[in-house]
Amino acid sequence: SGSHNMKIIFDYYHLNDIQYPCILQQFVNHGGILLKVFLIGNTDENNNHNGNNFYVVQRGSIRNFTTLTTTQPNETIAFHTKEVSSAQSCSPLNNNENSNNLIFDEKAIKDIANKIQMKFKLNLLSIDIISDCSTKQYAVIDVNYFPGYEGLNGLNERLFYLCIRLLKQQQQKPK
């Protein structure tokens, strides 16, 4: 869909490259790594043996940029997110030297995931999170209300247990 078409604009003079309607976000250098956080079940449920309802898969993402790394000064870069952040992506926009081994604060990621899930009140969703290279702060860049769960092992079992839990909850409700 058009919502996955992105552009990185480096200066004021190239703002005419924007096609409306659109959403503007500030680009954050994040080391070319994206955390795909999958949530299955409510935050107070145990959907696996570790008691967590969230699972993190690291994916490659668009590499870090400065105006000096573009092919021409200030050139706008256009791409589709699947080109740079899917499990199979091998775009020249990716950081090919990246080992996809970001050390992240699991508690902070879980807190972010729980807050978003409480707002959305959904059993199935994913959150794309990056870590700013300079500040180490996390930024949520996308929330998907029914993700594909690509790269998540054991999905069928996790969905099965979620369905069982939801059925039990329905059966326990007063009629």
Side-chain angles (χ1 to χ4, degrees):
S1 76
S3 63
H4 292 278
N5 292 323
M6 305 277 177
K7 291 183 179 181
I8 299 176
I9 299 173
F10 293 95
D11 59 33
Y12 173 83
Y13 302 103
H14 287 84
L15 289 176
N16 60 350
D17 293 342
I18 296 173
Q19 296 173 330
Y20 298 98
C22 69
I23 296 175
L24 299 177
Q25 291 179 307
Q26 179 179 356
F27 182 80
V28 174
N29 281 328
H30 56 281
I33 299 176
L34 172 102
L35 298 176
K36 186 70 119 168
V37 181
F38 296 108
L39 291 113
I40 301 175
N42 292 331
T43 56
D44 59 353
E45 295 176 342
N46 294 331
N47 285 335
N48 68 19
H49 303 294
N50 297 327
N52 293 328
N53 71 313
F54 82 106
Y55 312 90
V56 178
V57 175
Q58 292 189 32
R59 296 225 180 121
S61 180
I62 195 160
R63 69 178 187 262
N64 293 343
F65 280 103
T66 66
T67 54
L68 300 176
T69 60
T70 60
T71 56
Q72 296 177 3
N74 304 322
E75 176 185 356
T76 296
I77 297 173
F79 62 96
H80 190 280
T81 57
K82 287 205 183 252
E83 295 171 3
V84 296
S85 64
S86 72
Q88 307 85 344
S89 64
C90 58
S91 168
L93 295 174
N94 287 105
N95 180 2
N96 294 328
E97 299 169 14
N98 184 353
S99 66
N100 276 3
N101 200 12
L102 175 69
I103 298 171
F104 59 92
D105 182 344
E106 187 171 329
K107 182 183 179 320
I109 297 298
K110 186 173 185 171
D111 288 346
I112 292 168
N114 286 342
K115 287 176 183 172
I116 290 173
Q117 189 173 43
M118 286 171 35
K119 281 283 190 196
F120 280 77
K121 297 179 182 171
L122 295 172
N123 282 300
L124 302 173
L125 77 135
S126 74
I127 305 162
D128 295 348
I129 299 175
I130 57 174
S131 176
D132 186 313
C133 285
S134 52
T135 67
K136 304 300 181 209
Q137 290 186 332
Y138 295 110
V140 174
I141 60 170
D142 196 13
V143 177
N144 301 291
Y145 63 90
F146 191 73
Y149 293 99
E150 181 182 15
L152 180 63
N153 296 325
L155 175 62
N156 291 341
E157 181 181 356
R158 292 177 176 131
L159 289 175
F160 174 77
Y161 286 117
L162 172 62
C163 290
I164 296 296
R165 184 167 288 111
L166 293 173
L167 283 170
K168 285 181 181 178
Q169 287 175 357
Q170 280 298 109
Q171 291 171 347
Q172 293 172 355
K173 284 185 178 179
K175 295 181 181 182

